[in-house]
Amino acid sequence: MGCDEMSPYGKMLDRLNKNMIEDHSAVNGLRNPICKNLKKMTNGQLSYVLIQYTIFPRNIVSYLATACQQMVKFEMYDVVSELGRNMEEEKGSQSNGIPHYDILTNGIKEEFDLDITKIIPVSASFMFDKKMKEIVSSDDPYKDDPYKIMGALYAMESTAVPELKIVLD
């Protein structure tokens, strides 16, 4: 395969990422409901949105750990290895031992003077977290397959930076 040719896997990922940006309002700056209403929002409302956004990142390591346990049950050891690497990265292996969530927490504290460490999720944030936990903890191989778990994790990882960029812009 030449340098300018892409593997079928690479083409699939490109299509997934393109569809994600174009089709899902959370990561589309022109369609995201928060972005569309920014000019009408007060500072208090903006702080509220930012705080609710941070509930998901604080649980990422937990999602990854649970999914990793499930992948062991499905004997998908390459996936287990990648999830382990990703967990270590989230815990700070690539950021001088500082967990990503701590970087987010400290950045929000410095930039916006908001303490996000003791927040309580509203019902929508709570339900989103609950659903994510249900997806990654499914251990009935006849009811749910590992690809559902991997799909949820891929969506989580591939949208994290675009969503944060939208929130912070």
Side-chain angles (χ1 to χ4, degrees):
M1 182 177 317
C3 290
D4 47 347
E5 293 180 34
M6 190 179 298
S7 72
Y9 175 75
K11 288 178 184 177
M12 178 194 68
L13 286 179
D14 275 356
R15 281 195 315 272
L16 276 173
N17 289 327
K18 182 176 183 250
N19 289 343
M20 175 188 67
I21 298 297
E22 292 175 0
D23 297 340
H24 299 285
S25 61
V27 292
N28 183 313
L30 299 175
R31 294 179 43 225
N32 181 295
I34 299 300
C35 290
K36 289 168 65 172
N37 292 294
L38 277 176
K39 292 187 174 156
K40 299 180 226 171
M41 296 174 86
T42 66
N43 285 343
Q45 290 169 323
L46 291 170
S47 295
Y48 172 82
V49 168
L50 182 60
I51 285 170
Q52 289 302 308
Y53 170 82
T54 66
I55 291 167
F56 190 66
R58 89 173 164 198
N59 293 311
I60 286 177
V61 172
S62 172
Y63 303 145
L64 292 169
T66 302
C68 192
Q69 293 168 354
Q70 298 307 325
M71 293 300 113
V72 169
K73 292 177 186 178
F74 291 114
E75 299 180 358
M76 300 183 83
Y77 301 112
D78 287 345
V79 176
V80 170
S81 177
E82 176 56 21
L83 292 174
R85 185 207 60 76
N86 196 329
M87 278 190 294
E88 290 306 310
E89 188 175 306
E90 290 292 336
K91 292 188 222 178
S93 69
Q94 302 295 310
S95 51
N96 295 321
I98 304 169
H100 288 182
Y101 185 68
D102 289 356
I103 293 169
L104 178 65
T105 301
N106 294 335
I108 289 173
K109 179 70 174 159
E110 286 177 24
E111 187 70 26
F112 303 104
D113 196 30
L114 294 172
D115 180 3
I116 62 170
T117 59
K118 298 176 181 81
I119 56 172
I120 298 172
V122 296
S123 62
S125 298
F126 175 80
M127 292 305 294
F128 185 79
D129 177 57
K130 180 180 175 192
K131 187 63 178 173
M132 190 66 184
K133 287 175 181 171
E134 287 174 9
I135 290 169
V136 299
S137 66
S138 176
D139 61 0
D140 180 356
Y142 300 105
K143 179 178 151 251
D144 290 287
D145 65 55
Y147 303 104
K148 180 178 179 182
I149 297 169
M150 288 187 290
L153 294 176
Y154 179 78
M156 176 185 78
E157 285 294 320
S158 63
T159 60
V161 171
E163 284 177 352
L164 183 58
K165 185 177 181 325
I166 284 173
V167 170
L168 294 176
D169 281 347

